Amino acid sequence: MTDALGYRAKFGVLGPSTNTIVQPDFDDMRPAGVTNHYSRIIIQNAQAISDESFMQGTLEIDRCTVDAVKGVLTCAPDYLVMGMSAVTFYGGAEGAAKWKQNIEEVSGLRISTGSESVVAALQALGNIKKVSFLSPYFPVANTEVANFLSDHGYETVRDKPLRRPSWTAIAETTPTMVREAVAEIDGDEVEAIIQVGTNLSMVKQAAQLELELGKPVIAINTATYWHALRAYGIPDKISGFGRLLEEH
């Protein structure tokens, strides 16, 4: 017997309780027969006013993730998708691998994370080595992202931390702010632009910027959901979200 709606796959999605973007973003990209079941990582709406407070807030999310995993397991999902990206970059390639291994051991399921999904997306999109990225983070977390990318052979040309003042304020980032940040970090030497931070909705804007700039623009939510679909063996091509979902 199969689930009446999730007859191809039931995805358990793990995301902070303050995040209002991942759930609708993932649902927008959901093919027929796949269902997304959001499990909230219960946290407070942290006020991120410095490198230190930002890191403390993300580590609180990390500490509470296993409880969200246990909660979503009760609906018998087939696969897990991490809807929070910052902690999946911490500690470089080794730290990211250990984080993923821990969740897979706790859950008994495979999981797609933002960090590994970005690398897989870069590999799928071509011979890319020099990248720039923007985030809603503070500089300390951007350093972790750059270190992770370096471990996988990617040079960060420029990065832009938007320093959003709270978790919910990340979702209030405007398209104009995103466009200005992209213009700041782009350049002829930049082969791809990446956006991290799952509560910043850029899935459709990234597709538009990709057409305008003539180079890959990878939104973290697109990359993560694409990775989950492909890792679970769902090959559907989905339009409106850029080359990654349309061609790979």
Side-chain angles (χ1 to χ4, degrees):
M1 299 295 290
T2 58
D3 189 273
L5 296 181
Y7 51 86
R8 298 171 75 191
K10 293 187 294 185
F11 284 168
V13 179
L14 310 168
S17 56
T18 52
N19 189 309
T20 57
I21 299 300
V22 164
Q23 187 171 358
D25 268 3
F26 282 6
D27 280 347
D28 282 349
M29 295 181 282
R30 180 179 65 86
V34 178
T35 52
N36 305 319
H37 306 282
Y38 195 92
S39 185
R40 295 189 174 274
I41 303 167
I42 305 302
I43 57 166
Q44 298 301 310
N45 183 27
Q47 306 299 303
I49 57 174
S50 66
D51 279 342
E52 291 75 16
S53 61
F54 183 90
M55 288 298 287
Q56 288 171 6
T58 59
L59 293 175
E60 179 191 4
I61 296 171
D62 185 29
R63 288 191 295 270
C64 297
T65 297
V66 168
D67 286 340
V69 171
K70 292 177 180 177
V72 82
L73 288 178
T74 60
C75 77
D78 301 300
Y79 193 87
L80 298 181
V81 191
M82 184 57 177
M84 190 274 187
S85 60
V87 297
T88 72
F89 288 99
Y90 291 177
E94 183 179 354
K98 287 181 178 178
W99 192 94
K100 177 179 177 176
Q101 181 182 7
N102 178 58
I103 297 301
E104 291 186 334
E105 288 177 352
V106 167
S107 66
L109 297 172
R110 293 182 297 146
I111 185 172
S112 288
T113 66
S115 57
E116 71 169 342
S117 299
V118 165
V119 169
L122 289 169
Q123 292 171 346
L125 288 167
N127 185 25
I128 296 168
K129 290 299 179 185
K130 294 185 177 183
V131 302
S132 289
F133 70 88
L134 67 145
S135 80
Y137 306 157
F138 275 66
V140 65
N142 271 31
T143 298
E144 294 285 347
V145 175
N147 288 341
F148 173 87
L149 291 171
S150 178
D151 282 354
H152 286 276
Y154 298 99
E155 176 188 345
T156 298
V157 178
R158 281 178 289 277
D159 69 278
K160 176 68 175 181
L162 292 173
R163 294 180 171 88
R164 302 302 288 146
S166 71
W167 292 160
T168 55
I170 294 173
E172 297 163 2
T173 306
T174 67
T176 298
M177 294 166 66
V178 169
R179 184 171 288 275
E180 289 174 350
V182 168
E184 187 175 332
I185 63 176
D186 193 19
D188 291 341
E189 74 278 36
V190 176
E191 298 166 336
I193 291 173
I194 302 163
Q195 170 258 320
V196 298
T198 63
N199 205 26
L200 195 166
S201 185
M202 197 175 152
V203 294
K204 293 182 179 178
Q205 190 175 11
Q208 180 60 41
L209 287 165
E210 195 169 66
L211 292 173
E212 293 176 15
L213 300 176
K215 66 182 67 176
V217 180
I218 301 169
I220 190 77
N221 288 347
T222 303
T224 305
Y225 201 71
W226 163 82
H227 188 276
L229 290 173
R230 302 301 182 256
Y232 196 71
I234 296 172
D236 299 40
K237 304 296 194 296
I238 301 167
S239 62
F241 301 95
R243 288 178 52 204
L244 191 61
L245 268 174
E246 290 178 356
E247 301 176 8
H248 299 277

